[in-house]
Amino acid sequence: MEQFALSFVPERRIYTLRELSDGIRASLDRGFSNIWIVGEISGVKLLPSGHCYFALKDSEAQIKCVCWKLSYWRLKFKPKDGVQALIRGRVDIYEQRSEYQFVVESIEPQGHGALQLAFDQLKQKLMMDGLFDAARKRPLPQFPERIGIVSSPGGAVIRDFIEILSRRFPGLHLRLFPARVQGPGSVEDVCRGIEYLGRSGWAEIVVIARGGGSLEDLWTFNEEAVARAVAACPVPVVSAIGHETDITIADFVADLRAPTPSAAAEMIVCTRQELLDRIDGCGTQATRAIRYRLAVLARRLHEQAIDRAQSILHRALSRRMQRIDDLEERLRTGIRTAVATRERKRRDLEARLRYFDLRPRLRRDRERLNTSGFRVESVMRLQLNRTRQRFEMLAAKLEQLDPRLVLSRGYAIVLNDVNAVVRDASNAPVGSDVKILLAKDALHARVTAS
């Protein structure tokens, strides 16, 4: 029976460590090649060799990752600590430490690919609904006076926008609807701002403005609610979101896309000088056209030699020239009135700005502080003088009570052997030692008689 049992023992297979590692690697290649894993990148280390090492972890596990030099150069997104990412690659084994690791071939920040897919899907849907059609784009008014803007009140965008508008054409009216342009609640804020400015009937143009950022930062303007609010706005909408390379869904729906918020201010408003130059150009063209027409008519009349027609034409031309003079004068008066009105508004705004200027208040507070300082200094000096006088008076009294003053006149103080003042002979019996204190020094003596 013992021999029968030994005959069924399987043949022993002994692996070398290399064979074991190769077998494990082959198994991993078959089951875990070209796969995606997700986690948080941690401990990124880029060595001089060009290879990058880091760990990918979640709440329950972690795995060491390596990205070889050539793959690292091809990465569109370089690994950074703390970033949640989707990573494609394969599982491999490192024989030197008997550890398995993940060989990285591409990295994508988690959610970025989903956002791009959502962007493309919404773009296709709105395109099918006709929101991107050029036929529904409305032209902007040539000379807008009332501009509404939906933006964050605390950013540099609104400051730059106002500065450019003020420099190009002072006196324009601007209303800001404060809205969050990123994060929770931003979509509702932007939609409310567009709806309010469009429904109020006050604004001639609505501008949506925001600074640059990543796809996630600008996602508010890729929401369908914002796109449909832009399409439903009864007045022209200008999209001024991000930098020139940033594209959002709102850019496709808006009546005009500006590369930047600053460029939007320059595109929707011309400068005052451009307007005056345009008026001068129209006047020059009108004068040239009238002169040409008059020359043609004069030549025709001269050729026909009809005095009566020439007389009637002269009267008609005179009336038309007078009409032109009247229109020109009315135009000049209108321009002067408009310029004076804007200048008066500018002065009113300047006066209001001076009223809220803090510098006069600070000057008055500084003067009041200086006056209070002088008063405190005077009171302290007076108090110090009084204290000094009192000190001098007490010092004089103390000096008068000083025993050394009495001793300086020839008197002396006698102390017995227990340092008690001798007031009568019984305090210093015969044979005892006494100490005689003088004004400057002391004497030691012995009582020989009383």
Side-chain angles (χ1 to χ4, degrees), residues 268-313:
I268 62 179
V269 176
C270 65
T271 63
R272 177 182 293 179
Q273 189 59 43
E274 290 175 355
L275 179 59
L276 296 178
D277 293 342
R278 194 179 303 176
I279 294 174
D280 292 340
C282 292
T284 302
Q285 292 180 1
T287 302
R288 188 182 299 114
I290 291 174
R291 287 177 178 175
Y292 174 78
R293 183 64 177 169
L294 289 175
V296 171
L297 293 176
R299 185 170 62 253
R300 185 184 300 175
L301 288 176
H302 180 72
E303 292 174 354
Q304 293 178 357
I306 302 176
D307 295 339
R308 177 177 173 79
Q310 187 176 7
S311 176
I312 294 174
L313 180 60

Side-chain angles (χ1 to χ4, degrees), residues 152-260:
S152 173
V157 171
I158 186 64
R159 292 196 298 271
D160 296 341
F161 193 88
I162 294 175
E163 180 181 355
I164 294 175
L165 287 183
S166 302
R167 185 176 66 249
R168 291 178 66 83
F169 208 115
L172 296 178
H173 297 278
L174 179 68
R175 281 187 182 178
L176 169 66
F177 188 94
R180 289 168 289 183
V181 294
Q182 180 179 347
S186 58
V187 174
E188 292 77 9
D189 285 356
V190 173
C191 292
R192 279 196 298 267
I194 298 172
E195 182 182 1
Y196 169 79
L197 293 174
R199 187 181 65 251
S200 65
W202 177 86
E204 298 176 69
I205 297 176
V206 175
V207 180
I208 311 171
R210 188 208 187 280
S214 63
L215 179 63
E216 290 82 356
D217 296 338
L218 302 178
W219 191 254
T220 296
F221 304 95
N222 293 325
E223 293 287 348
E224 182 176 0
V226 174
R228 296 200 178 275
V230 172
C233 186
V235 297
V237 178
V238 177
S239 175
I241 301 167
H243 301 301
E244 187 170 359
T245 57
D246 297 326
I247 302 296
T248 64
I249 295 295
D251 295 335
F252 295 105
V253 184
D255 300 284
L256 176 66
R257 176 189 179 266
T260 62

Side-chain angles (χ1 to χ4, degrees), residues 198-450:
R199 187 181 65 251
S200 65
W202 177 86
E204 298 176 69
I205 297 176
V206 175
V207 180
I208 311 171
R210 188 208 187 280
S214 63
L215 179 63
E216 290 82 356
D217 296 338
L218 302 178
W219 191 254
T220 296
F221 304 95
N222 293 325
E223 293 287 348
E224 182 176 0
V226 174
R228 296 200 178 275
V230 172
C233 186
V235 297
V237 178
V238 177
S239 175
I241 301 167
H243 301 301
E244 187 170 359
T245 57
D246 297 326
I247 302 296
T248 64
I249 295 295
D251 295 335
F252 295 105
V253 184
D255 300 284
L256 176 66
R257 176 189 179 266
T260 62
S262 300
E266 297 176 352
M267 294 171 66
I268 62 179
V269 176
C270 65
T271 63
R272 177 182 293 179
Q273 189 59 43
E274 290 175 355
L275 179 59
L276 296 178
D277 293 342
R278 194 179 303 176
I279 294 174
D280 292 340
C282 292
T284 302
Q285 292 180 1
T287 302
R288 188 182 299 114
I290 291 174
R291 287 177 178 175
Y292 174 78
R293 183 64 177 169
L294 289 175
V296 171
L297 293 176
R299 185 170 62 253
R300 185 184 300 175
L301 288 176
H302 180 72
E303 292 174 354
Q304 293 178 357
I306 302 176
D307 295 339
R308 177 177 173 79
Q310 187 176 7
S311 176
I312 294 174
L313 180 60
H314 279 310
R315 288 196 297 270
L317 289 176
S318 298
R319 288 194 297 272
R320 284 174 171 80
M321 290 297 295
Q322 184 177 3
R323 176 64 175 168
I324 291 174
D325 292 338
D326 292 339
L327 293 176
E328 184 178 0
E329 183 63 26
R330 289 173 59 186
L331 180 61
R332 289 197 182 113
T333 303
I335 292 176
R336 285 196 296 268
T337 302
V339 172
T341 301
R342 287 183 169 85
E343 179 64 21
R344 186 167 56 254
K345 291 180 179 179
R346 184 192 66 79
R347 288 196 299 267
D348 293 340
L349 292 175
E350 186 177 358
R352 291 174 60 187
L353 183 60
R354 283 197 301 268
Y355 174 78
F356 289 104
D357 192 1
L358 296 178
R359 287 176 292 183
R361 302 180 185 178
L362 292 175
R363 192 182 305 111
R364 290 193 299 270
D365 292 340
R366 190 180 296 109
E367 292 174 357
R368 197 157 48 241
L369 180 60
N370 292 336
T371 303
S372 300
F374 291 149
R375 291 179 179 176
V376 170
E377 185 177 357
S378 300
V379 172
M380 291 179 65
R381 287 180 179 176
L382 179 60
Q383 187 67 26
L384 287 174
N385 289 335
R386 291 178 179 175
T387 304
R388 187 181 295 109
Q389 292 176 0
R390 184 179 178 187
F391 174 79
E392 292 174 354
M393 181 180 65
L394 293 176
K397 291 181 178 181
L398 181 62
E399 185 177 0
Q400 292 176 2
L401 297 176
D402 190 357
R404 290 177 294 181
L405 184 63
V406 178
L407 298 178
S408 63
R409 295 200 295 267
Y411 294 96
I413 299 175
V414 181
L415 301 177
N416 57 15
D417 52 0
V418 295
N419 288 331
V421 178
V422 178
R423 291 184 173 83
D424 53 35
S426 61
N427 296 131
V430 177
S432 61
D433 294 328
V434 294
K435 185 178 181 181
I436 303 173
L437 299 178
L438 304 178
K440 294 184 177 180
D441 47 16
L443 297 176
H444 294 274
R446 178 168 292 177
V447 180
T448 56
S450 58

